[in-house]
Amino acid sequence: MTEYTQNPFASTHSLDTNPFDDPTSTHAAQDSPSVEELRRRERDLERREQELNQRAENIRLHGRNNWPPFYPLIYHSISDEIPEASRPLMTRLYQLWLVLLATLVINMVACIFLLVAGSSDGGKDLGGSIGYLIIISPLSFLLWYRPIYNGYMKEQALYYYFYFFFGGFHLLFSVYMIIGIPSTGSAGLIQTIQMYARGHWAAGIIGTIATAGWLVQGLGNAFYYRQIWNHHTAAGHTMDKAKAELASHGAKAYFTRG
């Protein structure tokens, strides 16, 4: 009976719906999330395009070099050149090198405070601290950081021996700077204690920060020095391999990427 009682003229649409409404407004409301998603993707593409343009301009001006950022001389990219398993260690070493740079600057400022506080050797300390900043900054990068960077990138023995020699010297230098002998250009422990004892609190506080910097980078480098030694031993690097590589490539190659 239901087939005969059903109204054949009944509309399947609700009477509350305006048949003259623009259906595109309804679809637009439904599609608004997708429009926002498209706009977000468009902004992301524009950002990536800008980054690619900046890289292209950098390559045009400096080749592939990207470090230091203010005047690129070499290519440095831990994420691109260092094997994934060694990236955390290499990143920590780079951070420790940056701590060293900051410590050299703070040490120089502390020596200025020593001079102002009337230290008898303040002039010598300031001159030494300036020399350390000028000399140690590039040499530390070239003589121990860059060799171990290349060592992990290429796994060649001679890089490791460069690092062990100059990195070991740097550890001794760090101990020397932590002690803080007067007239040596270090605002380490001895100098800092003397400033506190004489009531020069500003010089003492800056000296404390400098001493802490020497301790942090010194202990950190000592810790990773041991890890790198273990890795070098496990990899089977020997002095004979290092000599063969030196004869094959020459010493100049060990300061470059090639």
Side-chain angles (χ1 to χ4, degrees):
M1 292 294 292
T2 55
E3 295 179 1
Y4 299 102
T5 57
Q6 186 177 4
N7 185 358
F9 301 102
S11 173
T12 58
H13 299 282
S14 172
L15 295 176
D16 295 331
T17 305
N18 186 350
F20 300 103
D21 282 343
D22 185 2
T24 58
S25 61
T26 304
H27 291 301
Q30 294 174 348
D31 293 342
S32 58
S34 61
V35 171
E36 289 300 323
E37 178 67 16
L38 287 173
R39 290 176 179 173
R40 187 190 64 79
R41 292 181 181 179
E42 184 179 355
R43 289 193 297 267
D44 189 49
L45 287 172
E46 290 177 354
R47 178 182 59 80
R48 292 182 182 181
E49 184 180 1
Q50 289 178 355
E51 291 177 354
L52 289 173
N53 289 337
Q54 290 174 357
R55 290 181 184 179
E57 181 65 14
N58 183 76
I59 292 173
R60 187 185 69 81
L61 294 174
H62 307 287
R64 201 181 175 209
N65 298 338
N66 65 350
W67 196 95
F70 56 86
Y71 190 77
L73 296 172
I74 61 174
Y75 184 75
H76 178 273
S77 178
I78 294 174
S79 61
D80 291 337
E81 295 192 307
I82 305 300
E84 185 175 359
S86 303
R87 286 174 196 167
L89 183 147
M90 204 66 240
T91 300
R92 294 292 180 270
L93 283 177
Y94 182 60
Q95 291 170 345
L96 285 170
W97 183 78
L98 294 176
V99 171
L100 170 64
L101 289 190
T103 302
L104 287 167
V105 173
I106 296 171
N107 182 74
M108 184 188 69
V109 174
C111 287
I112 294 174
F113 275 80
L114 290 175
L115 180 63
V116 173
S119 173
S120 58
D121 295 313
K124 294 179 180 178
D125 286 320
L126 179 58
S129 66
I130 294 173
Y132 292 147
L133 180 61
I134 295 172
I135 296 172
I136 298 299
S137 298
L139 287 186
S140 60
F141 187 90
L142 292 174
L143 296 180
W144 64 261
Y145 175 77
R146 192 64 177 176
I148 197 57
Y149 179 96
N150 287 339
Y152 274 99
M153 178 174 65
K154 301 180 182 180
E155 280 301 336
Q156 293 181 352
L158 188 56
Y159 286 114
Y160 287 90
Y161 285 101
F162 264 105
Y163 168 77
F164 290 136
F165 181 80
F166 291 107
F169 179 81
H170 176 72
L171 291 177
L172 295 176
F173 173 74
S174 297
V175 173
Y176 172 76
M177 296 299 286
I178 290 168
I179 295 172
I181 302 170
S183 77
T184 62
S186 168
L189 282 171
I190 295 176
Q191 298 268 48
T192 299
I193 292 171
Q194 288 180 350
M195 289 299 103
Y196 281 126
R198 296 174 186 174
H200 300 294
W201 293 96
I205 291 171
I206 302 297
T208 300
I209 297 173
T211 304
W214 290 118
L215 279 168
V216 168
Q217 65 85 35
L219 292 175
N221 276 299
F223 175 77
Y224 289 112
Y225 189 94
R226 181 176 177 80
Q227 283 198 4
I228 293 168
W229 179 269
N230 292 337
H231 171 81
H232 144 84
T233 304
H237 297 308
T238 63
M239 184 59 73
D240 289 336
K241 287 185 178 180
K243 290 178 180 178
E245 291 166 6
L246 180 61
S248 175
H249 302 291
K252 184 179 178 180
Y254 289 85
F255 297 97
T256 65
R257 295 183 60 256

